[in-house]
Amino acid sequence: MAEKILVEHLVKKYDEHTVLNDINVSIKKGDVVCIIGPSGSGKSTFLRCLNQLEEITSGNIIVDGTNLTDKNTNINKVRQHIGMVFQHFNLFPHLTILENVTLAPVDLGKLSKAEANEKAISLLESVGLADKKDSYPDSLSGGQKQRVAIARALAMNPDIMLFDEPTSALDPEMVGDVLNVMKELANQGMTMVIVTHEMGFAKEVANRVMFIDGGNFLEDGSPEQVFEHPQHERTKDFLNKVL
Ligand code: ADP
Ligand code: MG
């Protein structure tokens, strides 16, 4: 199935506050979607709804044909196929880098310890951090921690990766290394949904940019369409401020 994520009439409220208002989106296999928009517009909420870290108020979210809102759906099984990377890494401080990366696949019985180690080392190599495998997170820079967080998410062999402002907490000189890892992932065909303020990255790597404001996506198109020919004044205002 070419369609990986189908969002139908998604509404998310916190009490009486409607954050997401009747969102309809279809994301295809291999899509690299960058979500942009002002602070508080619901970008994180939307991302978190995609793997049910937030309970949705109404609507449907269908991942690989499985409706997440269906009572019979084993959400933990679905989540195993969706990697998530947050702004603040969330590495386990008391575990080594290698242990951080091997923990989930071993605990969930996906891989033996030996298989997980082998896979973790190869993933750490791919993010340029194999030499840090026995270090603890505290001894790494923010950019290195974020690359470990990406390797950790990939250790579960996800086929969708969600990123919530992965470079926003990083010193500027660390941003490029993390974006390069993400770019490599995109080139390998990973389906990715990325909340980001890195407009250069969105232009270069995304095949699709979506601008959210006022509870819904106002723009949804190629980077060229959204950046060069935005349809809404609110998008133009936003782009004038950030570009
Ligand atoms: P963004 O990621 O675009 O900055 P968020 O998705 O974090 O925006 O938040 C969207 C809106 O929802 C904001 O008004 C925020 O205050 C509100 N919100 C987010 N999380 C919660 C929560 N757990 N409880 C109540 N309101 C929340
Ligand atoms: Mg956010």
Side-chain angles (χ1 to χ4, degrees):
M1 189 191 314
E3 193 162 71
K4 293 299 278 185
I5 304 172
L6 181 60
V7 176
E8 293 177 333
H9 301 296
L10 165 61
V11 175
K12 172 64 187 176
K13 299 183 187 187
Y14 292 109
D15 298 322
E16 292 307 296
H17 178 196
T18 303
V19 177
L20 304 174
N21 190 11
D22 195 24
I23 287 183
N24 294 281
V25 173
S26 155
I27 294 172
K28 290 195 212 51
K29 186 172 163 48
D31 266 351
V32 178
V33 180
C34 279
I35 296 178
I36 60 173
S39 178
S41 58
K43 304 182 297 296
S44 296
T45 302
F46 177 73
L47 216 55
R48 293 163 60 84
C49 286
L50 295 184
N51 62 2
Q52 289 252 303
L53 285 177
E54 294 289 349
E55 200 180 322
I56 71 176
T57 306
S58 59
N60 291 305
I61 295 179
I62 297 157
V63 175
D64 273 330
T66 301
N67 194 335
L68 304 196
T69 48
D70 189 326
K71 282 184 197 60
N72 298 320
T73 295
N74 180 345
I75 185 66
N76 288 324
K77 264 248 138 27
V78 178
R79 279 202 195 113
Q80 290 184 15
H81 300 281
I82 307 177
M84 184 143 187
V85 173
F86 303 89
Q87 187 173 349
H88 293 290
F89 334 125
N90 304 348
L91 298 179
F92 302 109
H94 59 291
L95 298 181
T96 65
I97 298 309
L98 187 70
E99 289 164 346
N100 263 278
V101 180
T102 58
L103 183 71
V106 172
D107 267 15
L108 294 167
K110 271 201 138 188
L111 298 176
S112 72
K113 185 103 195 200
E115 289 165 338
N117 279 341
E118 196 178 325
K119 178 159 182 107
I121 287 167
S122 121
L123 285 168
L124 287 171
E125 271 165 9
S126 72
V127 301
L129 291 170
D131 58 329
K132 299 288 185 193
K133 70 181 173 61
D134 298 317
S135 304
Y136 284 84
D138 268 355
S139 68
L140 270 56
S141 72
Q144 291 172 329
K145 282 184 210 173
Q146 193 59 300
R147 284 183 280 148
V148 172
I150 295 172
R152 181 178 60 175
L154 292 173
M156 286 296 290
N157 249 347
D159 42 25
I160 298 169
M161 285 284 286
L162 309 177
F163 294 84
D164 194 356
E165 298 198 34
T167 60
S168 293
L170 303 180
D171 290 333
E173 73 267 28
M174 308 285 175
V175 169
D177 288 340
V178 171
L179 293 180
N180 281 336
V181 167
M182 292 167 62
K183 187 172 161 184
E184 181 58 30
L185 210 48
N187 288 340
Q188 289 165 15
M190 179 66 78
T191 307
M192 298 163 73
V193 185
I194 306 158
V195 174
T196 187
H197 298 294
E198 295 290 336
M199 299 299 154
F201 175 85
K203 276 183 189 170
E204 187 192 340
V205 181
N207 66 313
R208 192 167 163 195
V209 174
M210 309 201 323
F211 172 74
I212 186 171
D213 197 15
N216 216 314
F217 291 105
L218 298 185
E219 313 278 345
D220 180 356
S222 69
E224 213 244 328
Q225 282 168 333
V226 174
F227 289 119
E228 311 302 332
H229 310 286
Q231 302 296 303
H232 292 83
E233 281 306 317
R234 269 193 278 175
T235 320
K236 290 177 197 167
D237 285 347
F238 176 79
L239 292 174
N240 280 334
K241 286 184 193 131
V242 297
L243 286 178

